[in-house]
Amino acid sequence: MALAREWDDLVEQARRLPGFADFLRTPRTSTLLPAAAGGPVVYVNVSRWRCDALIVTTDGVERVQLVRLNAADVVERVRRHLFLRREFEVTAAAAQRGGTVADVVGLGPPVPPDAVGSAVPSVGSAARRARRALDADLHGLTGWLWDVLAQPVLHRLGLLDGPPDRDNRPRLWWCPTGLLTLLPLHAAGHYDDPVGTGPGTSASAGDRAGAGLTVADRVVSSYTPTLRALLRATAAETDAGPPSASASQPPADPRMLIVSLPSAQGRPSLPYAESERDVLQRHFPGEQHTLLEGDAATRAAVETALPRHRWAHFSCHGDQQLGDPSSGGLVLHDRMLRIADIGASHTTREFAFLAACRTATGGVNLPDETISLAAALQHTGYRHVLASLWSVYDLVAARVSTLVYDELMASGVFEPHRSAAALDAAIAELRRAYPYNLSVWTPFTHTGT
């Protein structure tokens, strides 16, 4: 009893300190609402009893019952999609011999919109069949997500009134829970059927690309693991001046850290990592960047360099263990930089681009806790994190990197606060180039402000 009273006394003392009034308390709703200053935040709760979306705005919280969503369907959709994705990754890796995964599965380089019919050759291998099965599943999955989740939410927000206006779309943050953390809410929508992808059908696909029955046609999507994380990032974004230093961290230089590993032991090569490096060195020449490449990209070197740079870009393999998500991370030259390692630090930085696989993927055992590399980086102070839900084609990752950095440097000065819009524009270009192949562009996500 004496220890319990001492604990209570210490907690009360802590709560009397400035800024600690809610220490160890459930946060008050009023203190979290400012997180939605940039646009609504949509929590999606899935349970066996009922499913709801909680729409958080600066005015309060509104509940939308998702009558067509149920936990059993979510489990089945996730199970099927993870199976097909694993099947694709295994067959593509087995077939890859010197070329890129995208070459193996028959995608080739991105093509202009007027030539999309040539983007998907005839299927002639196990990898290509697996890719087609994956894309077909994604069409059904994103359509289902629109019907049971996105459409009711956007309707309640009044965002389905009239035709879409891509130039004036509002921001919206998704905060999924449960197994929905493994699915692409930002890509929910009805797209064209991937079967019959000949030249005669590709033009009509492009004509219908902006029909408005997709999330991407109505809003610019971002993710946040919690309202608190978004609130901290938003507060840091509005502070004047560069990111501040803590007592344990030196001030970050306005420099780009480039971590590039075109090859890693036991992993397929990433030949397009070199083109990403070249793009970054063009935008951040000379002393504006630090390059850790090949055998120089060790975990110790990266851990030392990260706090000293305001911005970071990783071109390497990523990995995620669905049963133990905190053990996933970035594959470096000597060993992995794990999510648990990132989560153990705290800093205030601006931007990280994780051009690696599965860096925004959570886990299945504790899905209500968003444990991913992107979430870890936001929790530790990064305001903007670009990442991927699943495996990505290396040539596509390089193309997205080019488009994003060209946009963020368009004014001649790096503007990471426009990261969400820059990624959205890059995905729009990929949609036009690959209207049927949702596996090309659905993995990319923005987490942060």
Side-chain angles (χ1 to χ4, degrees), residues 256 276 280 311-315 351-356 377 384-387 397 400-402 404-405 408 423 444:
M256 177 66 72
E276 289 183 48
L280 285 156
W311 315 307
H313 181 98
F314 288 85
S315 299
F351 174 88
F353 195 142
L354 309 176
L377 286 173
H384 303 275
V385 184
L386 304 186
V400 170
S401 297
T402 299
V404 166
Y405 285 111
L408 295 181
L423 179 62
F444 297 98

Side-chain angles (χ1 to χ4, degrees), residues 59-390:
D59 295 326
V61 181
E62 184 176 6
R63 178 182 59 83
V64 178
Q65 186 175 359
L66 303 173
V67 294
R68 299 179 61 185
L69 181 64
N70 65 75
D73 286 348
V74 173
V75 171
E76 177 58 27
R77 293 279 182 172
V78 169
R79 184 202 63 78
R80 174 178 170 80
H81 184 72
L82 292 180
F83 172 80
L84 290 173
R85 183 160 293 281
R86 179 60 177 168
E87 189 79 5
F88 164 71
E89 292 173 355
V90 169
T91 55
Q96 187 179 359
R97 294 293 185 272
T100 68
V101 171
D103 294 333
V104 168
V105 300
L107 285 174
V111 295
D114 59 355
V116 291
S118 63
V120 186
S122 61
V123 175
S125 69
R128 295 184 184 186
R129 288 193 294 274
R131 191 266 301 159
R132 285 176 62 89
L134 178 62
D135 278 324
D137 181 69
L138 277 169
H139 276 260
L141 179 63
T142 54
W144 171 76
L145 284 171
W146 173 266
D147 293 339
V148 303
L149 195 166
Q151 192 274 342
V153 168
L154 297 183
H155 175 73
R156 179 65 61 89
L157 288 169
L159 297 176
L160 297 182
D161 301 333
D165 181 0
R166 287 195 58 85
D167 294 330
N168 295 290
R169 289 168 300 149
R171 296 285 304 279
L172 185 144
W173 279 261
W174 299 101
C175 188
T177 64
L179 293 177
L180 282 179
T181 57
L182 302 174
L183 299 182
L185 305 191
H186 64 283
H190 288 281
Y191 305 91
D192 291 285
D193 195 309
V195 179
T197 54
T201 59
S202 58
S204 60
D207 292 341
R208 293 191 295 269
L213 296 181
T214 73
V215 167
D217 289 329
R218 298 291 179 171
V219 298
V220 177
S221 287
S222 294
Y223 286 87
T224 184
T226 65
L227 275 175
R228 273 182 165 173
L230 182 59
L231 185 62
R232 285 195 299 266
T234 302
E237 189 94 272
T238 56
D239 286 343
S244 59
S246 67
S248 60
Q249 297 284 0
D253 293 330
R255 291 158 48 85
M256 177 66 72
L257 173 64
I258 306 170
V259 180
S260 178
L261 281 91
S263 62
Q265 187 175 6
R267 305 277 179 158
S269 63
L270 300 174
Y272 287 90
E274 296 178 351
S275 68
E276 289 183 48
R277 175 205 62 200
D278 294 342
V279 168
L280 285 156
Q281 289 182 317
R282 172 168 56 86
H283 284 305
F284 302 91
E287 296 298 317
Q288 297 179 40
H289 78 274
T290 298
L291 175 63
L292 296 177
E293 187 171 30
D295 57 8
T298 63
R299 194 176 90 169
V302 170
E303 286 182 320
T304 300
L306 267 177
R308 300 175 180 173
H309 293 76
R310 199 178 298 177
W311 315 307
H313 181 98
F314 288 85
S315 299
C316 60
H317 281 286
D319 201 7
Q320 181 63 301
Q321 304 296 323
L322 292 177
D324 183 15
S326 62
S327 68
L330 296 168
V331 179
L332 301 178
H333 175 69
D334 54 347
R335 50 188 177 145
M336 183 177 292
L337 179 65
R338 299 178 304 131
I339 292 172
D341 303 323
I342 295 289
S345 64
H346 186 79
T347 182
T348 303
R349 303 294 179 259
E350 284 187 301
F351 174 88
F353 195 142
L354 309 176
C357 300
R358 295 184 288 273
T359 46
T361 309
V364 294
N365 291 337
L366 294 171
D368 287 336
E369 299 181 19
T370 306
I371 305 174
S372 69
L373 193 59
L377 286 173
Q378 193 192 10
H379 276 303
T380 58
Y382 280 85
R383 303 170 190 171
H384 303 275
V385 184
L386 304 186
S388 65
L389 274 175
W390 316 298

